[in-house]
């Protein structure tokens, strides 16, 4: 069975500080990896995804993530946090015919 | 291009009742997946429909069912509602079925928040 682990259900950063949200996965086959963001009372919005090719993936809103096969990780980063980044972030693995989501990380940005 | 729409946005039901939720995918998308989101369990896959056929199913009881129409619109039905069915139900659409082995991008609707009393 696939699993996606997001370390830290709640992360707080100061405005302007580095954002680092962690995601580790278990997969017996090469996975496809996604990060989604969810704002209150809204659905999920795709931030970025890794399918093949370059392991450093750039997404919207200044976010990027790096696929590290040896570490089975796909951590999400942003150099400088903005107040508008406060939201719930979900890492997901696509493999086989299904998606598997992590339990989410709630990001708080402190002014 | 219009996004994924879900109706209704909010719903209150009582135990034992049944409920039907609707999802209209992005124009041209033929795959519709349903997810249940709860604080305790997170996002869990319910099922996927493509070309009016259920292609994949998650680990949910038979009280949860769905269907897809020829225009790709999908409905999800939950019968004999239980308190634990209270959740945000998300619908996602994509072009290809089976998520193309997992690499297909899904586009999510805003969800239907169901409260069972």
């Amino acid at each position: 069975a696939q699993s996606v682990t997001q370390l830290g259900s709640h992360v707080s950063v100061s405005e302007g500080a580095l954002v680092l949200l962690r995601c580790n996965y278990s997969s017996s086959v090469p996975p496809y990896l996604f990060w989604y963001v969810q704002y209150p009372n809204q659905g999920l919005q795709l931030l970025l995804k890794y399918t093949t090719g370059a392991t450093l993936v750039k997404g919207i809103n200044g976010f990027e993530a790096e696929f590290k096969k040896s570490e089975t990780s796909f951590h999400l980063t942003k150099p400088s946090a903005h107040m508008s980044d406060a939201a719930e972030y979900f890492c997901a693995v696509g493999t086989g015919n299904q998606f598997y989501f992590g339990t989410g990380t709630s990001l708080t940005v402190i002014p | 291009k219009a996004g994924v729409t879900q109706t209704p946005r909010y719903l209150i039901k009582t135990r034992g009742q049944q409920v039907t939720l609707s999802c209209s995918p992005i124009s041209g998308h033929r795959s519709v997946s349903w997810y249940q989101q709860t604080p305790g369990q997170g996002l869990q896959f319910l099922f996927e429909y493509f070309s009016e056929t259920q292609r994949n199913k998650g680990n949910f009881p038979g009280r949860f069912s769905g269907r897809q129409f020829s225009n790709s619109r999908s409905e999800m039905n939950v019968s004999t509602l239980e308190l634990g069915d209270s959740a945000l139900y998300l619908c996602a659409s994509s072009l290809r079925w089976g998520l193309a082995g997992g690499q297909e991008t899904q586009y999510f609707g805003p969800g239907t928040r169901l409260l069972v009393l």
Side-chain angles (χ1 to χ4, degrees):
Chain A
Q2 313 301 331
S3 70
V4 183
T5 303
Q6 290 185 241
L7 286 176
S9 57
H10 298 274
V11 171
S12 294
V13 299
S14 298
E15 191 175 13
L18 171 72
V19 176
L20 170 61
L21 304 182
R22 300 177 187 273
C23 174
N24 289 85
Y25 66 90
S26 68
S27 176
S28 57
V29 296
Y32 303 106
L33 300 160
F34 303 76
W35 275 100
Y36 281 88
V37 61
Q38 186 178 33
Y39 298 101
N41 299 315
Q42 295 186 27
L44 277 69
Q45 179 184 2
L46 180 69
L47 276 176
L48 49 81
K49 70 175 184 180
Y50 168 79
T51 53
T52 58
T55 57
L56 181 62
V57 181
K58 295 187 184 299
I60 63 171
N61 301 339
F63 284 95
E64 61 182 38
E66 186 171 11
F67 169 55
K68 292 187 176 180
K69 185 177 179 181
S70 61
E71 299 177 7
T72 60
S73 69
F74 191 56
H75 301 331
L76 181 71
T77 61
K78 181 174 180 177
S80 177
H82 191 272
M83 294 300 293
S84 61
D85 295 328
E88 187 91 14
Y89 291 80
F90 293 91
C91 179
V93 169
T95 183
N97 292 325
Q98 288 198 22
F99 256 41
Y100 300 88
F101 284 89
T103 52
T105 297
S106 178
L107 177 65
T108 299
V109 181
I110 304 167
Chain B
K1 187 183 279 191
V4 178
T5 58
Q6 291 186 246
T7 57
R9 291 293 310 277
Y10 303 93
L11 208 50
I12 300 175
K13 292 285 187 179
T14 57
R15 279 180 299 174
Q17 288 186 308
Q18 74 163 18
V19 67
T20 298
L21 313 180
S22 180
C23 171
S24 292
I26 291 172
S27 177
H29 286 192
R30 296 169 63 193
S31 170
V32 174
S33 296
W34 289 89
Y35 293 85
Q36 181 194 65
Q37 185 179 23
T38 59
Q41 299 295 321
L43 276 151
Q44 294 183 283
F45 172 74
L46 280 156
F47 30 64
E48 179 197 13
Y49 283 85
F50 183 89
S51 293
E52 303 175 62
T53 302
Q54 188 180 93
R55 302 289 179 154
N56 292 297
K57 189 176 189 304
N59 189 27
F60 277 81
R63 300 186 296 107
F64 292 81
S65 63
R67 59 177 176 169
Q68 187 180 35
F69 302 94
S70 57
N71 62 358
S72 295
R73 188 177 71 86
S74 176
E75 288 182 347
M76 190 192 90
N77 184 275
V78 187
S79 63
T80 320
L81 283 166
E82 300 176 0
L83 295 179
D85 296 333
S86 295
L88 180 67
Y89 289 89
L90 293 166
C91 160
S93 78
S94 57
L95 278 170
R96 295 174 286 182
W97 80 276
L99 305 175
Q103 65 177 306
E104 187 80 343
T105 296
Q106 294 182 97
Y107 298 87
F108 284 81
T112 294
R113 187 164 296 281
L114 171 65
L115 177 62
V116 182
L117 301 176

